[in-house]
């Protein structure tokens, strides 16, 4: 299997903000798009639907929060629940991708770029989404297989 051509969106779903990143159709580069506030979930879903409608991705790659031993963290249930709401709001396929260390990597990258802690706080989720998406793109380019796992439906949930 070769790389599937098409734009993808990466999402880092946090309890307060959702980082959003996009790739080019050839899957070469992931770039940050925006951070969506999650305090008003209906408004956040509307904003995400608008972004999805504009970019027309072939799939959404959503960070799957796991602890270091690979088990689901408390944040995983909340993120998965919100991912289900996104799935219900759009017909775009969703894959869950391991996001361990992405926020730490994002903070380091932004600090190296000279951003202070206040500046980093506002954009770290978008940078984490970039890392999630870039890692998934590289995985598919290297293996020919999609990264992560398909989001479980109601019948096959783990």
């Amino acid at each position: 299997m070769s790389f599937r051509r098409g734009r993808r969106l990466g999402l880092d779903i946090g309890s307060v903000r959702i980082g959003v990143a996009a790739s080019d159709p050839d899957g070469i580069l992931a770039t940050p798009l925006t951070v969506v506030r999650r305090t008003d979930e209906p408004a956040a879903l509307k904003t995400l639907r608008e972004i999805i409608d504009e970019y027309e991705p072939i799939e959404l790659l959503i960070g799957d929060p796991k602890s270091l031993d690979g088990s689901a963290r408390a944040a995983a249930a909340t993120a998965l629940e919100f991912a289900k709401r996104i799935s219900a709001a759009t017909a775009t396929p969703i894959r869950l991708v391991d996001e361990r260390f992405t926020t730490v990597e994002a903070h380091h990258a932004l600090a190296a770029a000279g951003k202070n802690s206040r500046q980093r706080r506002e954009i770290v989720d978008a940078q984490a989404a970039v890392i999630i998406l870039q890692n998934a793109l590289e995985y598919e380019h290297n293996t020919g297989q999609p990264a992560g796992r398909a989001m479980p439906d109601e019948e096959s949930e783990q």
Side-chain angles (χ1 to χ4, degrees), residues 35-106:
V35 174
V36 177
R37 297 248 178 247
R38 197 169 157 201
T39 49
D40 178 353
E41 288 204 2
L45 279 170
K46 180 179 184 284
T47 300
L48 290 171
R49 266 196 316 270
E50 290 168 354
I51 292 168
I52 292 165
D53 288 346
E54 179 182 347
Y55 282 84
E56 299 178 336
I58 64 167
E59 66 188 357
L60 303 177
L61 295 153
I62 296 179
D64 190 8
K66 301 229 184 241
S67 63
L68 292 179
D69 67 3
S71 61
R73 291 189 348 222
T78 304
L80 184 59
E81 196 55 45
F82 193 74
K84 287 179 187 174
R85 288 198 278 287
I86 294 168
S87 179
T90 179
T92 307
I94 294 176
R95 296 194 65 80
L96 300 173
V97 181
D98 188 346
E99 70 167 23
R100 284 179 277 192
F101 302 112
T102 56
T103 301
V104 173
E105 282 182 56

Side-chain angles (χ1 to χ4, degrees), residues 12-18 36-39 41 75 78-79 125:
D12 178 45
I13 299 174
S15 58
V16 178
R17 292 176 293 272
I18 302 160
V36 177
R37 297 248 178 247
R38 197 169 157 201
T39 49
E41 288 204 2
T78 304
D125 299 293

